[in-house]
Amino acid sequence: MPAISGYGVPTPLTFIRRVACGLLFLSLAPAAVAEDKLYIFTENYPPYNASTTGQGFAHNADDIAGICTDMVKQMMERVDYEYIMKMRDWSRAYDWVQGRENHALFCTARTDEREDQFQWVGPLAPIKWTLFAAPDSDIELDSLEDARQYRIAGYKGDVMSDYLVNEGFEVIRNVSGDQNPRRLTLGQADLWVTDGLVGPLVAEEEHGITGLKPVLVFRETPMYLAVSTETDPEIVEDLQQGLDEARESGALDGIISRYQP
């Protein structure tokens, strides 16, 4: 039977095809919109990332500041992606991001062990792997090997703590590193491994402890935005371009100095 197409009435087969195409479009449309939204996680790690509310977590970008945070925000101003930024415990955020499309995490140290676990956007800012002792400690170190005899406070998922564990050091690890300055003063640990800027800041702001002794800086690592491997590489390229443009424009100049004591 010929189709009555001249009157705008489709054949049953044509009608079915149109309905199918319409349903396909509807099913794809939400996914297309979702692909433009990025979910970016960080931790409370001042001065690189810090909650402006005084809490150890945050649900939106307005409540998060810091060196890396400001750099990421400058990058996002230069790309056409909607994003949600949240602050969570590092180990949980680290596990959550992996395996999920359009998810990312900062500030993440880029190491050989992590290289294939993420796609990388950066660099943002460097961290100095530092061993601190209590203010009244007489510990002196000439090399990392000298620290092998001591108990070192760290935390789960932290690249510095993981490195020391893999090298056979005794590391006391918890979910968060905020209590580690107290562990030094209470004698529960001899040393604390953290970034050179982070240590004194957390000690003073969280516990009123001043005068921590930086006894050894044993490594320096650039930090990045770590993007899940499930994310479209073109999105990663756009983010890198946005960061490069922010750096070339001078927008990143002075961010680190603003947060230094």
Side-chain angles (χ1 to χ4, degrees), residues 25-37 102:
F25 175 79
L26 290 175
S27 66
L28 291 178
V33 172
E35 286 175 0
D36 290 336
K37 182 177 292 186
N102 298 340

Side-chain angles (χ1 to χ4, degrees), residues 52-94:
T52 61
T53 64
Q55 302 294 323
F57 58 89
H59 300 296
N60 61 76
D62 291 339
D63 293 334
I64 308 172
I67 295 172
C68 287
T69 303
D70 288 357
M71 290 181 175
V72 170
K73 288 180 178 180
Q74 286 291 332
M75 175 190 71
M76 295 307 299
E77 287 182 4
R78 291 162 171 79
V79 296
D80 294 327
Y81 298 108
E82 182 181 354
Y83 73 99
I84 295 174
M85 184 181 290
K86 294 181 180 291
M87 177 178 286
R88 296 290 185 268
D89 287 334
W90 179 257
S91 59
R92 294 172 184 169
Y94 189 91

Side-chain angles (χ1 to χ4, degrees), residues 94 108-118 120 129 159 163 166 219 221-222 224:
Y94 189 91
T108 311
R110 185 174 184 176
T111 64
D112 292 341
E113 296 78 12
R114 291 175 170 176
E115 184 65 31
D116 295 333
Q117 297 177 8
F118 298 97
W120 301 92
W129 301 24
V159 65
Y163 174 81
N166 292 335
R219 192 171 177 180
T221 307
Y224 285 71

Side-chain angles (χ1 to χ4, degrees), residues 26-53:
L26 290 175
S27 66
L28 291 178
V33 172
E35 286 175 0
D36 290 336
K37 182 177 292 186
L38 303 178
Y39 299 86
I40 303 176
F41 288 80
T42 188
E43 65 170 332
N44 191 38
Y45 194 65
Y48 296 101
N49 325 298
S51 168
T52 61
T53 64

